[in-house]
Amino acid sequence: MENHRTAQISGTGSYLPANLLTNKDLESLVETSDQWIRERTGIVERHIAAPQEATSDLAFQAARQALDAAQLSAQDLDGILVATVTPDQVMPNTACFLQSRLGCKSIMALDVSAACSGFLYALTIADQFICSGKFKHILVIGAETLSRIINPTDRQTCILFGDGAGAVVLSANTNNPSSKSAILSSSLGANGSLGDLLSLPGGGSRLPFNQDVLDQKLYFVHMKGREIFKSAVRTMSDRALECLNQAQYPLDKVDWFIMHQANLRIIEAVADHLNIPKQKILTNIDQTGNTSSASIPILFNQSIDKNLVQRGQTILMAAFGAGLTSGGILLQY
Ligand code: ACO
């Protein structure tokens, strides 16, 4: 078996559903205001999937773009990893729906469940498969239809979340061995003892669907926002620093920082904590809200399309999410 030593991003894509839900719209649905949402979160609008759109439909659009950008066909893929907490169904997994729709060979198709850190978990797993020499091309996706699991009457959560999908194709660096593009380092972690800060308690094996689950609305996300805020700043900073330490890469040499788009104030707090210049921080939270595992790959793809992120540049990504999970990846694009 060939031993591919590094993996590079060969293409990216993203998809946001057409329907927009603005802060103004939310003013008529719950007791809130455009000003409160902007000041506390930085969010102005978010995209909401149409009733007939499921997570794999969003993922499919992002995947097609990423494959085109990589100049690959679905038949070239050796595996698909879909990070999501909003699968089409509990089974089959969302990656299998996507594998069928894309027309791939009978390749590995797996969902990764690590909430908002899911994409960085999936990218790290894909990197291992490629660096070990087992696979050449893996499609890695973060895709969510969070609007399906948010209580539209809970003003603490319904203002935060949106739907979308982002994709990358990760490829073995064999065609162009002189290229320095690679995943440079990765850091993953979790603190399960804080799991109750953000959870969807109903519908699993502990609380299967019954009348009680329905009456108490336990099929929706339940969140303790203020506590998550503090932990998010600490863990994203830790993951970012760990990536830099592992790669022996100085922070001031990083070209761009892409953090999970959960709240602009969390991003700014991490930037203050690590002393990151504001102009190096990419954001789109004003237009997307929190799209969980999709947030980093959507922003990555948009920043490439805008010609901000360019080949050869270094990007540090960091995320936190329910679990509480956290992740970081340092990569050269
Ligand atoms: N509109 C108006 N007022 C509101 C709203 C709203 N939508 N929501 C809460 N308030 C009120 C509260 O009731 C409270 O009122 P009180 O002082 O009279 O009690 C006041 O605003 C302040 O509430 P806080 O919760 O302290 O507000 P905070 O500044 O912490 O902002 C927020 C809340 C935006 C949720 C913030 O804590 C946050 O972003 N936390 C992180 C959440 C997060 O990122 N979750 C996703 C994790 S990633 C994943 O895995 C999905």
Side-chain angles (χ1 to χ4, degrees), residues 30-33 36-37 39-41 43 85 114-117 146 154-161 197-198 221 223-230 232 260-266 290-293 320-325:
V30 289
E31 204 185 323
T32 191
S33 69
W36 192 96
I37 301 172
E39 285 177 4
R40 296 293 177 118
T41 70
I43 301 167
V85 287
C116 306
S117 313
L146 289 161
D154 173 10
R155 69 176 181 173
Q156 222 217 135
T157 51
C158 74
I159 57 145
L160 291 177
F161 296 99
L197 295 184
L198 184 59
V221 167
M223 184 181 84
K224 293 179 184 144
R226 210 176 301 181
E227 288 91 330
I228 294 173
F229 195 113
K230 289 181 218 150
H260 170 45
Q261 305 289 294
N263 184 321
L264 194 59
R265 288 190 297 135
I266 294 177
N290 178 348
T291 58
S292 190
S293 68
F320 70 97
L324 295 181
T325 59

Side-chain angles (χ1 to χ4, degrees), residues 99 191 238 292 298 333:
Q99 182 249 357
N191 183 354
D238 288 350
S292 190
I298 291 173
Y333 175 55

Side-chain angles (χ1 to χ4, degrees), residues 119-120 123 243 258 296 300 315-319 327-331:
F119 176 75
L120 297 186
L123 196 56
C243 285
I258 299 185
I296 287 179
F300 185 39
I315 297 107
L316 183 52
M317 300 171 168
I329 278 188
L330 179 70
L331 66 87

Side-chain angles (χ1 to χ4, degrees), residues 86-138:
T86 47
D88 289 20
Q89 302 171 192
V90 171
M91 63 177 188
N93 71 29
T94 308
C96 284
F97 284 118
L98 194 59
Q99 182 249 357
S100 160
R101 186 148 172 216
L102 286 169
C104 305
K105 295 179 285 196
S106 61
I107 55 172
M108 170 187 85
L110 175 71
D111 283 8
V112 175
S113 175
C116 306
S117 313
F119 176 75
L120 297 186
Y121 268 65
L123 196 56
T124 301
I125 296 168
D127 184 46
Q128 303 307 305
F129 272 119
I130 287 174
C131 291
S132 73
K134 188 165 178 66
F135 290 148
K136 241 179 160 176
H137 301 290
I138 303 182

Side-chain angles (χ1 to χ4, degrees), residues 24-212:
K24 282 277 168 210
D25 297 332
L26 283 164
E27 282 180 352
S28 60
L29 300 172
V30 289
E31 204 185 323
T32 191
S33 69
D34 175 43
Q35 188 188 354
W36 192 96
I37 301 172
R38 278 176 197 252
E39 285 177 4
R40 296 293 177 118
T41 70
I43 301 167
V44 178
E45 59 190 25
R46 63 291 284 144
H47 294 251
I48 304 294
Q52 73 279 7
E53 276 182 313
T55 296
S56 69
D57 299 320
L58 276 52
F60 176 76
Q61 302 295 341
R64 284 273 19 128
Q65 270 186 32
L67 284 167
D68 288 348
Q71 299 184 312
L72 292 170
S73 92
Q75 290 276 315
D76 296 319
L77 291 173
D78 301 305
I80 300 179
L81 295 174
V82 176
T84 188
V85 287
T86 47
D88 289 20
Q89 302 171 192
V90 171
M91 63 177 188
N93 71 29
T94 308
C96 284
F97 284 118
L98 194 59
Q99 182 249 357
S100 160
R101 186 148 172 216
L102 286 169
C104 305
K105 295 179 285 196
S106 61
I107 55 172
M108 170 187 85
L110 175 71
D111 283 8
V112 175
S113 175
C116 306
S117 313
F119 176 75
L120 297 186
Y121 268 65
L123 196 56
T124 301
I125 296 168
D127 184 46
Q128 303 307 305
F129 272 119
I130 287 174
C131 291
S132 73
K134 188 165 178 66
F135 290 148
K136 241 179 160 176
H137 301 290
I138 303 182
L139 178 64
V140 185
I141 299 202
E144 303 283 6
T145 44
L146 289 161
S147 58
R148 303 280 154 74
I149 58 167
I150 299 302
N151 183 347
T153 65
D154 173 10
R155 69 176 181 173
Q156 222 217 135
T157 51
C158 74
I159 57 145
L160 291 177
F161 296 99
D163 302 336
V168 307
V169 179
L170 195 70
S171 299
N173 204 345
T174 45
N175 291 344
N176 185 7
S178 63
S179 160
K180 292 217 168 65
S181 296
I183 307 285
L184 302 177
S185 60
S186 154
S187 165
L188 304 175
N191 183 354
S193 69
L194 297 179
D196 66 339
L197 295 184
L198 184 59
S199 70
L200 193 159
S205 61
R206 189 164 299 284
L207 273 180
F209 273 115
N210 58 26
Q211 199 53 48
D212 224 31

